[in-house]
Amino acid sequence: MSPKIEDGRVVGAQTVARAFAVLRLFRDQGGDLGVGAVAKELGLNLSTTHRIVRALVAEGFLAQNEDNERYYLGTGALLLGQAAHSNFGLDVVYPALQALAASTGESVNLGVLAGEIAVVVERIESVQPLRFTQPPGTRVPLHASSMGKVLLAFNADVERRTLKGVNRLDRITPKTHATAASLRADLAMTRARGWSTDDEESSLGVRCVAAPICDSAGVARAAIAVQAPAVRMPDARFDELGPQVATAAKEISTLLPPGHSF
C-alpha cells in the first residue's frame, strides 16, 4: 500500500520525525527521562510527547522505570543497535582498533560519513588518566578534524560538495583553517602522505592523526583517528603515528567483505 499524501507531504511524517527526535534525545542523554523533560527539550506539548513515548514503549524501543516512572531505551533499541553494529562490520574491525589503541597508548575512533559531517561509531578509550572523551554518536566537523579532513581528501565528491563556492570557513578554535584555500592545501598534503592531522583545530589541547578506510575504488567512506592531549603529541609524534594509523586503516579495509560500504 502506498503512503497517503496530502499537499505533497506524507501523512504521519511529522509524527515519525518526532519519534526519531525522542529516540535521539534518549541516545544523547544516556539516562532515563520523564515525559515533561522530553517535552521541554524537544519543544513539544505534553500530550503529544506522551503519545509518542507510549507508542515507543509499545514497540519496545523505550521502557519505563516503575520506581520513578521515567523512561529509558528498551530492548528494541538495543537489538536495533546490535544489528547496525554487525551490519557496519564493527565486530570484524574492533580487534584492529584495539590493537592500534594498545600500540599507541592513545584513544582510537572509527567514524563514518553522514552527509556533511562525520559521526563517531566506535571508540577505544586510552588507559591514560589524561585523555579526551569523544563517545560514539559524536558529530565531527569535516573541515576541522583529522577524521573529517581525511574523508574530504580521499572522497572527491564530498570535498567538492563541501567546499563549492566557499571562501571562509567556520573557525572553531584559533587554529582551525579560516579559508577554503588553506584547507585545500592541507588536503593536498594529506593525499600525498596518506594521513591527516588535527593540530588543536577542533578542540584546544587535543591533537589527532587519521587515515581513510577506502572502498575498492579508493574512495573514503570511513576513517580511523588516534587522539591524544597535545602534551603527549609533539610534532615529531605526528610522523610516528601517521604510518601506524594508515597501516591499520588499510588492514581494516581488507577485513570488510567485498562490496561493503559504511
Side-chain angles (χ1 to χ4, degrees):
M1 179 181 295
S2 299
K4 184 178 179 181
I5 298 177
E6 293 180 358
D7 297 326
R9 297 179 60 188
V10 178
V11 175
Q14 183 182 57
T15 299
V16 173
R18 287 172 172 174
F20 282 129
V22 170
L23 289 174
R24 284 194 296 270
L25 179 63
F26 277 91
R27 178 199 67 191
D28 296 341
Q29 290 287 337
D32 56 3
L33 294 166
V35 173
V38 173
K40 182 178 179 180
E41 286 289 332
L42 299 179
L44 302 174
N45 65 53
L46 279 173
S47 61
T48 297
T49 305
H50 193 265
R51 284 198 303 272
I52 293 171
V53 167
R54 294 309 302 168
L56 291 171
V57 169
E59 296 297 329
F61 290 99
L62 293 180
Q64 188 174 31
N65 184 329
E66 294 182 0
D67 293 332
N68 59 19
E69 298 187 346
R70 292 171 178 253
Y71 296 88
Y72 58 93
L73 288 174
T75 54
L78 174 64
L79 293 173
L80 191 64
Q82 288 176 334
H85 194 277
S86 176
N87 289 341
F88 266 99
L90 298 184
D91 294 336
V92 175
V93 306
Y94 193 77
L97 300 178
Q98 286 183 307
L100 182 60
S103 66
T104 63
E106 305 295 352
S107 299
V108 175
N109 280 352
L110 170 66
V112 299
L113 271 171
E116 305 305 313
I117 59 167
V119 176
V120 176
V121 295
E122 190 62 271
R123 179 174 174 83
I124 309 295
E125 288 285 359
S126 168
V127 297
Q128 303 276 3
L130 178 61
R131 59 180 182 266
F132 173 69
T133 299
Q134 197 174 56
T138 300
R139 298 158 65 88
V140 179
L142 295 182
H143 74 288
S145 64
S146 61
M147 185 180 293
K149 289 192 293 182
V150 86
L151 289 168
L152 288 172
F154 291 90
N155 192 317
D157 287 342
V158 175
E159 179 184 359
R160 184 163 44 250
R161 188 167 63 246
T162 301
L163 297 181
K164 182 179 180 180
V166 173
N167 292 315
R168 306 293 300 179
L169 298 169
D170 292 336
R171 301 202 74 176
I172 300 172
T173 79
K175 294 192 172 185
T176 306
H177 284 290
T179 66
S182 175
L183 177 59
R184 285 193 175 97
D186 191 335
L187 298 182
M189 186 181 301
T190 294
R191 281 188 286 268
R193 66 191 175 198
W195 46 272
S196 64
T197 64
D198 171 357
D199 181 15
E200 302 183 72
E201 295 160 46
S202 56
S203 296
L204 290 176
V206 180
R207 303 182 99 186
C208 315
V209 179
I213 299 173
C214 298
D215 61 19
S216 58
V219 178
R221 306 295 183 186
I224 54 173
V226 171
Q227 291 179 324
V231 295
R232 286 206 304 269
M233 196 179 286
D235 290 349
R237 200 170 184 214
F238 279 144
D239 295 328
E240 171 195 336
L241 289 176
Q244 283 185 261
V245 178
T247 297
K250 289 177 182 177
E251 177 187 349
I252 288 172
S253 67
T254 65
L255 293 173
L256 297 172
H260 181 280
S261 178
F262 281 103

